[in-house]
Amino acid sequence: MIYSNKVINLNSGPAALPQEVLQQASEAVLDYNGTGVSILSIPHRGKDFNAILEESKQLVRELCGLNDDYEILWMHGGGRLQFAMIPMNFLGEEQTAGYIDSGNWSADAIRHAEYYGNVQVLSSSKEDNYQHLPVWPHDIPPNLAYLHMTTNNTIYGTQWPEVPAVSMPLVADMSSDIFSRQVDYTNCAMFYAVAQKNIGPAGATLVAMRKDMLRRISRSLPPMLNYAEHVAKKSVLNTPPVFSIYVSLLTLRWIKEKGIDKIEEENKIKAALLYDEIERNPLFSTPVKKEDRSMMNVCFRAVDERTEQLFLDFCEASGIVNIKGHRTVGGFRASLYNAITIEDVKYVVAVMLEFELNKK
Ligand code: PMP
């Protein structure tokens, strides 16, 4: 049996964070920056938190190549609140929004939008249980209020190769692949990502929005549900998730220091190592088409279903945890977000090989 000196957590979110970030975060819990006060207890309208907010927003701008045309917000409520707020703010009752249905989270976004206006599903791979990406629609009606896409489908392990330029405002859910590769973020009028995968702990959601979008809000909305109010109050309309935003800042610094180019290069290597082993090892297979495969969530199965639980137990005994697939699809899912190292993936591959040898 081979051993790892650490536990490798492949959870899809809340996900593993870089060790340096955890170290700094834990120190700040005891004493934030030598102030004698815990990060958990600093005033959310004070100068320390204001500096955290400003630096984090500046880093998001820098990492995504955004200029001052974009507002950066930290919000509560996870991905689902964005599913509701997007149509609430940008879809009038008589208007139509286009959605690409590439997985469960896209479908959930669609269900939320249907409360507010007309929804046109432009393309869907639901019939095939989302095992591949739907075709990108050819004739997108030009008068859509916006077009919504999910860049990476966390549950099914598919990922769009790029974020395309379209003529209407593009709104992208980038929850499970933000900061994992170079994409043209300026093709989006708005993008959002829950923190709990590539950014930080659950509790904060990052939203970037082109300023002209704020002029499209036509409904009368209570302040907490109105993007313009959040922008006006600079993400402190109410008490924000201070700790989650602080840890997100630590991760953003880590991403900047490493560089997105380097992160992308490593993510490609990590994904290739694991997909190659899935293809080589006769005990495993993946239903996901090669060209649609995600670098972030690698979904695969046991060829013989009876070995599924055995492999899960073997992983656990080898120090690999949370590799079980989403409950709606079964099998395995290895989430290889930025904090997972090439060494970690090599270890997972070695464990798969050892499992195969033990079965002989
Ligand atoms: N979008 C994507 C792509 C996700 O993977 C998830 C959840 N993992 C969500 C949205 C929903 O996020 P939340 O649970 O914070 O509402």
Side-chain angles (χ1 to χ4, degrees):
M1 187 108 191
I2 50 173
Y3 289 102
S4 163
N5 58 5
K6 65 171 188 184
V7 170
I8 297 172
N9 177 14
L10 301 178
N11 201 30
S12 61
L17 290 169
Q19 200 55 36
E20 301 93 295
V21 167
L22 296 179
Q23 184 64 40
Q24 291 163 26
S26 60
E27 284 160 16
V29 168
L30 296 174
D31 178 0
Y32 177 64
N33 248 357
T35 56
V37 175
S38 165
I39 185 69
L40 304 179
S41 314
I42 64 168
H44 64 285
R45 297 184 201 279
K47 68 175 182 1
D48 285 333
F49 186 62
N50 192 44
I52 290 170
L53 272 181
E54 286 310 310
E55 187 187 343
S56 68
K57 292 180 183 182
Q58 189 45 39
L59 277 172
V60 171
R61 278 209 181 84
E62 232 178 278
L63 292 168
C64 299
L66 306 176
N67 59 20
D68 287 345
D69 284 351
Y70 283 81
E71 296 287 354
I72 312 296
L73 293 172
W74 290 105
M75 300 185 70
H76 300 266
R80 287 164 177 87
L81 184 62
Q82 297 307 310
F83 295 168
M85 277 183 74
I86 291 160
M88 231 183 257
N89 282 259
F90 303 129
L91 180 59
E93 255 174 68
E94 305 300 323
Q95 289 180 304
T96 301
Y99 278 73
I100 312 282
D101 180 23
S102 56
N104 178 68
W105 298 116
S106 310
D108 208 17
I110 291 166
R111 276 192 290 279
H112 280 75
E114 283 166 347
Y115 284 87
Y116 299 98
N118 304 309
V119 173
Q120 192 172 346
V121 177
L122 297 166
S123 188
S124 172
S125 50
K126 188 173 182 193
E127 297 263 290
D128 294 329
N129 202 23
Y130 301 117
Q131 278 175 11
H132 56 83
L133 291 171
V135 287
W136 188 262
H138 298 300
D139 302 314
I140 304 177
N143 57 346
L144 295 175
Y146 60 85
L147 171 66
H148 183 279
M149 75 181 290
T150 311
T151 53
N152 182 74
N153 301 289
T154 326
I155 296 177
Y156 308 91
T158 62
Q159 183 176 28
W160 290 99
E162 58 179 27
V163 177
V166 292
S167 61
M168 65 291 300
L170 179 67
V171 177
D173 177 356
M174 297 195 174
S175 292
S176 49
D177 67 350
I178 194 162
F179 305 132
S180 67
R181 57 178 179 166
Q182 293 289 5
V183 288
D184 193 345
Y185 290 91
T186 63
N187 282 342
C188 301
M190 170 184 167
F191 59 87
Y192 60 101
V194 299
Q196 65 263 25
K197 298 168 195 295
N198 253 341
I199 312 180
T205 301
L206 177 64
V207 176
M209 185 173 310
R210 223 171 45 211
K211 286 179 179 157
D212 62 275
M213 290 300 281
L214 299 168
R215 291 196 293 274
R216 294 172 180 254
I217 305 171
S218 53
R219 249 188 211 94
S220 167
L221 293 166
M224 268 308 271
L225 300 173
N226 187 327
Y227 286 119
E229 296 278 349
H230 285 273
V231 166
K233 295 292 177 341
K234 298 181 183 307
S235 300
V236 275
L237 178 56
N238 75 326
T239 313
V242 170
F243 184 62
S244 183
I245 294 171
Y246 175 63
V247 181
S248 299
L249 167 63
L250 296 176
T251 313
L252 289 167
R253 285 181 187 155
W254 178 86
I255 293 171
K256 184 183 168 187
E257 200 179 314
K258 198 157 178 176
I260 293 204
D261 281 339
K262 175 88 180 143
I263 286 175
E264 178 171 3
E265 192 185 312
E266 290 186 8
N267 284 337
K268 282 187 179 152
I269 294 171
K270 283 152 49 184
L273 281 167
L274 190 48
Y275 284 117
D276 283 353
E277 175 62 14
I278 292 164
E279 284 183 353
R280 186 210 61 77
N281 194 318
L283 300 184
F284 302 105
S285 72
T286 176
V288 184
K289 271 213 248 163
K290 226 174 197 151
E291 57 273 27
D292 294 346
R293 288 178 188 170
S294 167
M295 287 200 293
M296 293 284 96
N297 309 99
V298 178
C299 293
F300 60 109
R301 292 176 182 161
V303 169
D304 177 352
E305 247 184 62
R306 287 169 304 180
T307 58
E308 193 175 304
Q309 191 55 46
L310 289 176
F311 181 63
L312 290 172
D313 295 343
F314 193 75
C315 281
E316 186 112 17
S318 310
I320 298 168
V321 297
N322 300 317
I323 194 175
K324 198 173 166 55
H326 190 268
R327 62 188 181 281
T328 55
V329 295
F332 316 111
R333 171 174 53 177
S335 293
L336 309 182
Y337 299 123
N338 293 346
I340 301 295
T341 65
I342 294 177
E343 287 312 307
D344 294 341
V345 180
K346 284 185 176 161
Y347 179 74
V348 175
V349 166
V351 167
M352 290 165 76
L353 173 65
E354 205 193 11
F355 184 67
E356 178 196 358
L357 297 176
N358 283 1
K359 292 281 295 168
K360 284 193 174 149

